[in-house]
């Protein structure tokens, strides 16, 4: 099977870890292959007059090697002097830290947007500074923001996630602005012309689900001639890191590798998947998934370093060729 054009749908931190491992694999074993990453933009927001794009930034910083590994988000060597001033003026969200280096990115981005550039062109210009080794595309150029429906009203996804730590029960998610959105330039074409499409082990609801919800993207994934392979973000009934189980619960999907595969669905029955990788802890699910029309295999899915993650990506490419 050809693997020259690899497309990955991805969220932020989990997506970035996966793409780094995939990039390491490609550099070592598939030097002629290209990687296009379609990133979630549902977490984007205006804050203190600036457009902030958390998942695109997690991807850009991690691929550039300037991310804070310890903290898990933002820039390494960060300071927060500007944020302290903003808080003193009562501007922004006190619980949403904007580091000084990070603010440089947000100011640059907002300035380009105000000059009239679409987000996709802004991402291209910002990421030209770093040798990312992948083509990074926002899912859409329009402002489509994920809001969480709770018993106390609706709030922006980042407010629910960061301020309430997803503790306020979510009743559902709304993509504000989605009816006016289209896939960003290059996204549908990349999926159509791909040799393989991978769904990163990202949040199935507010990362991958949001990307697939942009008009034209789910259709492109369903229509591509390339195999579509997903990797489970859940291992042994746990979300590994973070609070994604709260998102799954809100849409009535169990925190379970097979349940997520069935939520995505087989392409042969209205879904988006040809294949699904589960961790060895979930090997018991393989047979039933195959019976449901989803090629499945159990391999280690812990993204402990680029080598381990590269091996996951290699397993996904093998499953695509099966
Ligand atoms: P976010 O946008 O920063 O929340 O990041 P993503 O949506 O891209 O990815 C978050 C998801 O990655 C989490 O919900 C976890 O389920 C998953 N994840 C994190 N670490 C690992 C890992 O080592 N292995 C697997 N299989 N999934 C992981
Ligand atoms: Ca995110």
């Amino acid at each position: 099977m050809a693997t020259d054009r690899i497309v990955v749908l991805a969220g932020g931190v989990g997506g970035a870890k996966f793409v780094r491992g995939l990039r390491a694999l490609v550099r070592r074993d598939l030097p002629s292959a290209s990687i296009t990453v379609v990133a979630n933009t549902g977490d984007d927001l205006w804050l203190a007059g600036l457009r902030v794009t958390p998942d695109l930034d997690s991807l850009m910083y991690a691929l550039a090697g300037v991310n804070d590994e310890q903290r898990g988000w933002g820039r390494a060597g960060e300071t927060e002097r500007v944020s302290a001033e903003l808080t003193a003026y009562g501007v922004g969200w006190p619980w949403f830290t904007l580091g000084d280096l990070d603010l440089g990115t947000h100011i640059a981005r907002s300035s380009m947007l105000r000059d009239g550039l679409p987000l996709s062109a802004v991402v291209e210009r910002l990421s030209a500074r770093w040798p990312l080794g992948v083509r990074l595309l926002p899912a859409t150029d329009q402002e489509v923001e994920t809001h969480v429906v709770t018993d106390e009203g609706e709030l922006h996804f980042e407010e629910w996630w960061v301020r309430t730590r997803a503790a306020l029960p979510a009743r559902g998610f709304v993509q504000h602005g989605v009816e006016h959105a289209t896939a960003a330039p290059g996204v549908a074409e990349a999926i159509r012309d791909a040799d393989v499409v991978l769904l990163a082990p990202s949040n199935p609801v507010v990362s991958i689900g949001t990307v697939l919800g942009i008009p034209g993207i789910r259709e492109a994934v369903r229509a591509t001639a390339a195999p579509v392979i997903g990797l489970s973000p859940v291992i042994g009934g746990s979300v590994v890191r973070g609070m994604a189980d709260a998102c799954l619960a809100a849409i009535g999907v169990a925190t379970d590798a097979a349940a997520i595969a069935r939520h995505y669905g087989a392409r042969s029955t209205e879904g988006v998947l040809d294949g699904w990788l589960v961790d060895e802890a979930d090997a018991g699910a393989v047979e039933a998934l195959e019976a449901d029309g989803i090629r499945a295999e159990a391999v280690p899915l812990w993204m402990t370093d680029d080598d381990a993650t590269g091996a996951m990506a290699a397993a996904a490419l093998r499953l695509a060729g099966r």
Side-chain angles (χ1 to χ4, degrees):
M1 194 200 76
T3 48
D4 281 345
R5 288 163 297 186
I6 304 169
V7 173
V8 188
L9 309 193
V13 176
K17 270 204 174 132
F18 178 71
V19 175
R20 267 183 48 166
L22 171 66
R23 183 182 64 178
L25 171 80
V26 162
R27 283 181 174 160
R28 199 188 60 209
D29 296 343
L30 304 162
S32 69
S34 68
I35 302 170
T36 300
V37 179
V38 179
N40 173 42
T41 47
D43 303 356
D44 297 5
L45 67 156
W46 285 100
L47 200 60
L50 301 171
R51 190 70 180 159
V52 180
T53 62
D55 287 4
L56 280 163
D57 288 350
S58 291
L59 284 157
M60 184 170 80
Y61 295 155
L63 292 167
V66 298
N67 59 314
D68 188 326
E69 293 278 351
Q70 244 89 57
R71 204 169 45 167
W73 52 272
R75 293 280 300 267
E78 188 60 289
T79 49
E80 285 156 19
R81 296 190 65 196
V82 178
S83 213
E85 286 297 291
L86 292 173
T87 304
Y89 287 120
V91 168
W93 285 340
W95 39 266
F96 196 91
T97 312
L98 296 167
D100 296 335
L101 297 173
D102 203 22
L103 273 162
T105 309
H106 305 326
I107 293 169
R109 173 186 308 110
S110 305
S111 150
M112 293 178 199
L113 288 170
R114 290 208 167 94
D115 285 344
L117 284 185
L119 181 63
S120 50
V122 172
V123 169
E124 193 179 339
R125 283 188 54 184
L126 293 178
S127 53
R129 174 179 172 195
W130 322 95
L132 298 190
V134 312
R135 182 172 175 227
L136 185 55
L137 300 176
T140 178
D141 275 342
Q142 283 79 45
E143 291 180 12
V144 182
E145 296 187 356
T146 303
H147 285 226
V148 186
V149 183
T150 76
D151 293 341
E152 292 169 29
E154 233 182 77
L155 55 173
H156 189 284
F157 172 75
E158 288 292 337
E159 182 173 10
W160 177 69
W161 193 251
V162 182
R163 182 174 66 78
T164 84
R165 308 282 309 151
L168 201 57
R171 306 296 176 205
F173 299 91
V174 188
Q175 279 181 283
H176 275 285
V178 74
E179 62 281 8
H180 306 298
T182 53
V187 169
E189 296 81 351
I191 294 169
R192 182 193 62 205
D193 298 339
D195 293 311
V196 57
V197 176
L198 302 177
L199 308 189
S202 289
N203 189 310
V205 186
V206 295
S207 291
I208 305 292
T210 305
V211 171
L212 289 170
I214 300 298
I217 297 190
R218 172 182 289 275
E219 294 76 1
V221 171
R222 285 203 26 85
T224 182
V228 181
I229 307 294
L231 296 96
S232 176
V234 163
I235 298 178
S238 143
V239 290
V240 187
R241 293 181 188 87
M243 310 160 291
D245 39 350
C247 303
L248 289 163
I251 63 159
V253 175
T255 302
D256 170 80
I260 295 166
R262 292 198 176 92
H263 166 67
Y264 284 138
R267 261 213 299 179
S268 52
T269 55
E270 314 272 292
V272 294
L273 286 181
D274 295 307
W276 184 244
L277 284 181
V278 299
D279 185 76
E280 289 172 317
D282 299 304
V286 166
E287 212 174 306
L289 286 173
E290 295 257 354
D292 286 354
I294 299 172
R295 279 177 238 172
E297 209 173 298
V299 298
L301 288 188
W302 289 94
M303 299 193 285
T304 41
D305 55 34
D306 284 352
D307 277 349
T309 311
M312 287 164 53
L317 298 179
R318 273 200 310 278
L319 190 61
R322 204 178 89 191

